[in-house]
Amino acid sequence: MNGLDLGVVGNGTIAGLVNSVGNYQWLCLPRFDGEPVFNKLLGGGGQFDIWMDGLVSRSQSYDTNTAILRTRLEAEDGAVMEIIDFAPRFETRGRVFRPASIVRRFHVVSGTPRIRITLTPETDWGDRKLPAVRGVNHIRFNDGELAFRVTTDAPVSYVLSGTSFLLEQDVSFILGADESLTDTVDVITLDWEERTRQYWTKWARSLAVPYEWQEAAIRAAITLKLCVFEETGGIVAALTTSIPEHEGSERNWDYRFCWIRDAYFTVTALNRLSAMGTLEHYMRWVRNIVAQSKGGHIQPVYGIGLESDLTEEYATHLPGFRHTGPVRRGNQAAEHIQHDVYGQVVLGVSQSFFDSRLISRPGIAEFRQLEPVGERAFAVHDTPDAGIWEFRTIAEVHTSSAIMCWAACDRLSKIAAHLGLPDRATYWSERAAIIHKTILEKAWNPKVGAFTASFGGDTLDASVLLMAEIGFVPASDERYVATVDAIDSTLREGNHVYRYKTEDDFGRPKTAFTACTFWHIDALYRVGRVEESREMFESVLSSRNHVGLLSEDFDPSTGDLWGNFPQTYCMVGIINSAALLSKPWSEVI
């Protein structure tokens, strides 16, 4: 798995990554974009590791329909142990309990395993270890702004010194706030584990999953929910930073922020499964962004706490994933001009105006707040921007951005009609028509036989495949069918699709972009190549890691996963393609 043999545990406040031998590779505190205290993923020394004497086999899986991760280790002498990892999440006193805590339970299955536990969190992005202060049954780590406590019923002396010992009975660890627990650690661990299990199984049971590929869709949905920072409703694009798109690419970005584009796709995918809570949380976040913009420029990405300043810096004390730097914190994309965001803002909240299931449905006042976003979309639809792929030195009139500007005006027209505002419906319909006509005239290249990446251009970009999904043209349109064929022959390698194959700021891409592969699968289905789309979908599912997760990129030549992990775009693709391609329930029951 080239280092991405990782499972995710989280609860909507924090999230961590655990590898297939039970070692924490990544955990940021006190939230997704915070300080990485366990940072081995990027070559640091921040550890929460387990060593087992005579280890001969390992396996890892999630407990069914939950975010509880179980790692099984077996030794040559027959000793077997399991590590149960989770972040507590359950309903209590009328609210969801989701503290900045992780729980680890080391369970003896058979024999007497001999183990060593290493707990050495770091701070300042790998610059130094956090000082440890011993208590009777806990270890405090306090460095001013960053403070937490690890409470355990394991021998504290052994943990602090890294001494190996015989595990004769179960032991538990709770990493959380620097305060005493209300009961013994074992009692709390077992209680939280069962209540967390009940929460996730209940939530999964509420999903309207497709008949086929149910397990894949449920795992994708749970993973997407783990990427939602529920305090504000912001959704991170991934839980990591600086995992490169391929070795030596320097395409190492910090994805622990909320891209309006990625969040829109996440919300719509969960809506397809009837997981409406995410839409309600995200609506709050978007409304704040719209209010903050005052009808002007909207950044493509903000912090999960609505931060607009995401200054990009290098973390020089971390060597990087597989020693492939640089390691970045912050993201310059916040400074980019990307016109697709206006369509994604409107698309992301459109369903909320029509869905009677929501507790707080928006109305005319909220529609009025969105109209300046539409005005901005109309004003910029035929002007250059950085595009959906956030080019740093290339500015063109990107077709995908123009399409999203059309979507903003089109959906505002539909919302106005639904709210009984015929004058506004006509107004926005007319603007959508103007943009539609412009795109058809300037993005279609008859010599290439396809809609191209930019107005008047001659190169292909997989993002134009979204035309049919958002309703810009029907999938039966001859130009769309021709575009699908052109992308199939040009950007596809095996069963994986590249974003584009032209030179960009960092040269020519060397890995396929998994989200584009899913877009192409859906496009093939829509143009009638059904069996091919199903075969391609099955192939991509087989490229997931051992617990069903995907990263941003895939190397068709080696089968390796690359890019930030797990990427919401990719998990969205699993849900969308499964829902589109699956046989309907009515055919099988």
Side-chain angles (χ1 to χ4, degrees):
M1 291 295 179
N2 82 314
L4 294 180
D5 57 334
L6 306 170
V8 178
V9 295
N11 61 4
T13 298
I14 60 171
L17 303 178
V18 182
N19 72 7
S20 59
V21 292
N23 297 332
Y24 258 91
Q25 301 294 286
W26 188 252
L27 175 72
C28 295
L29 293 174
R31 60 186 206 178
F32 299 148
D33 58 352
E35 176 75 34
V37 295
F38 305 139
N39 54 22
K40 288 182 68 178
L41 185 68
L42 298 182
Q47 305 176 71
F48 196 171
D49 285 5
I50 175 72
W51 168 87
M52 182 181 189
D53 187 27
L55 178 66
V56 292
S57 71
R58 62 186 179 180
S59 61
Q60 190 175 57
S61 62
Y62 282 103
D63 288 0
T64 303
N65 295 349
T66 75
I68 299 173
L69 188 66
R70 188 175 298 264
T71 307
R72 183 181 178 92
L73 305 178
E74 300 185 16
E76 58 188 359
D77 65 359
V80 179
M81 66 175 291
E82 290 182 338
I83 308 165
I84 296 90
D85 284 296
F86 67 96
R89 180 183 175 91
F90 49 84
E91 295 178 3
T92 181
R93 299 179 182 177
R95 65 183 181 87
V96 176
F97 178 67
R98 43 174 176 76
S101 298
I102 59 167
V103 179
R104 311 202 79 183
R105 180 164 67 88
F106 295 83
H107 169 57
V108 179
V109 177
S110 64
T112 308
R114 182 167 171 262
I115 68 168
R116 179 172 61 244
I117 296 170
T118 305
L119 178 61
T120 56
E122 291 188 339
T123 187
D124 289 344
W125 287 77
D127 185 29
R128 56 196 176 89
K129 295 206 181 319
L130 274 166
V133 178
R134 176 190 171 133
V136 174
N137 64 347
H138 69 264
I139 306 168
R140 297 178 63 240
F141 297 96
N142 193 320
D143 191 43
E145 294 184 5
L146 182 62
F148 58 92
R149 176 181 299 202
V150 178
T151 305
T152 182
D153 51 3
V156 172
S157 294
Y158 293 162
V159 175
L160 281 173
S161 62
T163 300
S164 59
F165 63 97
L166 295 173
L167 185 65
E168 298 179 290
Q169 61 185 19
D170 293 3
V171 296
S172 300
F173 291 76
I174 296 177
L175 182 157
D178 186 14
E179 56 192 33
S180 299
L181 299 179
T182 57
D183 207 332
T184 61
V185 65
D186 59 325
V187 169
I188 291 177
T189 293
L190 291 172
D191 177 58
W192 284 4
E193 182 181 336
E194 181 56 29
R195 295 170 79 176
T196 299
R197 186 186 319 283
Q198 291 175 1
Y199 172 87
W200 285 112
T201 53
K202 179 181 178 182
W203 186 80
R205 193 166 62 243
S206 72
L207 299 175
V209 297
Y211 167 67
E212 296 181 272
W213 305 295
Q214 293 180 45
E215 180 278 330
I218 292 170
R219 180 54 49 206
I222 290 174
T223 306
L224 290 179
K225 191 167 179 63
L226 295 180
C227 293
V228 179
F229 185 64
E230 287 194 11
E231 179 184 322
T232 63
I235 305 170
V236 294
L239 296 170
T240 59
T241 176
S242 303
I243 302 180
E245 294 181 18
H246 59 83
E247 192 165 9
S249 68
E250 295 193 14
R251 302 170 190 262
N252 302 27
W253 316 117
D254 192 346
Y255 276 13
R256 303 169 304 144
F257 308 115
C258 187
W259 270 260
I260 293 173
R261 172 194 63 225
D262 300 57
Y264 149 65
F265 283 111
T266 297
V267 168
T268 53
L270 290 174
N271 288 351
R272 283 189 173 92
L273 300 182
S274 296
M276 306 307 299
T278 301
L279 173 58
E280 292 180 305
H281 289 305
Y282 180 64
M283 268 174 38
R284 299 196 318 269
W285 190 86
V286 165
R287 288 184 62 191
N288 277 290
I289 291 297
V290 171
Q292 185 175 305
S293 71
K294 298 180 180 179
H297 169 65
I298 293 178
Q299 295 177 190
V301 56
Y302 293 84
I304 53 178
L306 297 175
E307 297 86 357
S308 57
D309 183 1
L310 304 181
T311 301
E312 189 173 293
E313 300 173 331
Y314 291 116
T316 57
H317 298 289
L318 293 174
F321 179 76
R322 295 178 60 179
H323 294 273
T324 302
V327 171
R328 291 182 171 95
R329 53 181 178 177
N331 200 302
Q332 190 195 60
E335 303 169 17
H336 292 177
I337 304 297
Q338 289 177 229
H339 301 329
D340 57 334
V341 299
Y342 305 108
Q344 289 146 2
V345 164
V346 179
L347 284 169
V349 299
S350 290
Q351 183 170 335
S352 63
F353 286 89
F354 299 87
D355 200 319
S356 298
R357 294 171 294 177
L358 298 184
I359 296 173
S360 300
R361 290 176 60 191
I364 292 177
E366 289 76 15
F367 168 74
R368 298 293 188 195
Q369 290 176 336
L370 280 180
E371 285 198 288
V373 178
E375 294 290 4
R376 183 74 176 175
F378 183 73
V380 301
H381 74 272
D382 58 353
T383 61
D385 73 344
I388 188 173
W389 308 125
E390 299 170 348
F391 297 121
R392 296 198 165 198
T393 61
I394 301 170
E396 297 177 310
V397 183
H398 290 97
T399 303
S400 59
S401 295
I403 293 168
M404 286 298 173
C405 289
W406 166 84
C409 298
D410 176 75
R411 297 315 194 265
L412 284 171
S413 175
K414 289 178 169 63
I415 294 169
H418 177 71
L419 294 175
L421 303 171
D423 290 346
R424 302 312 295 166
T426 300
Y427 177 88
W428 288 113
S429 178
E430 289 173 348
R431 271 153 180 67
I434 292 171
I435 300 175
H436 195 276
K437 182 173 183 291
T438 300
I439 295 171
L440 293 182
E441 289 177 350
K442 297 186 177 182
W444 171 256
N445 186 325
K447 293 182 180 178
V448 177
F451 288 107
T452 54
S454 59
F455 284 10
D458 58 6
T459 60
L460 296 177
D461 188 314
S463 62
V464 302
L465 293 170
L466 295 171
M467 280 183 170
E469 180 177 324
I470 65 172
F472 180 82
V473 292
S476 58
D477 187 296
E478 292 181 357
R479 292 163 295 187
Y480 183 76
V481 174
T483 300
V484 173
D485 291 341
I487 288 173
D488 196 68
S489 63
T490 305
L491 300 184
R492 177 176 172 180
E493 286 192 13
N495 284 322
H496 296 272
V497 176
Y498 286 66
R499 291 173 289 185
Y500 48 85
K501 287 192 173 180
T502 52
E503 297 276 337
D504 61 17
D505 307 298
F506 295 87
R508 190 180 296 270
K510 295 182 180 179
T511 50
F513 195 76
T514 305
C516 293
T517 301
F518 286 117
W519 296 346
H520 194 64
I521 289 168
D522 296 352
L524 290 175
Y525 180 88
R526 289 189 171 99
V527 301
R529 295 162 63 176
V530 175
E531 287 307 313
E532 185 179 357
S533 67
R534 289 174 62 90
E535 291 171 6
M536 192 172 178
F537 183 52
E538 290 281 6
S539 175
V540 176
L541 288 182
S542 71
S543 68
R544 295 176 298 163
N545 77 359
H546 64 297
V547 290
L549 307 183
L550 283 169
S551 62
E552 180 181 35
D553 302 279
F554 182 82
D555 188 336
S557 64
T558 65
D560 285 342
L561 298 176
W562 287 93
N564 280 307
F565 177 92
Q567 198 206 26
T568 53
Y569 249 167
C570 301
M571 307 314 290
V572 162
I574 292 173
I575 292 172
N576 289 349
S577 294
L580 183 65
L581 275 58
S582 173
K583 297 174 184 176
W585 283 91
S586 59
E587 285 189 10
V588 293
I589 57 175

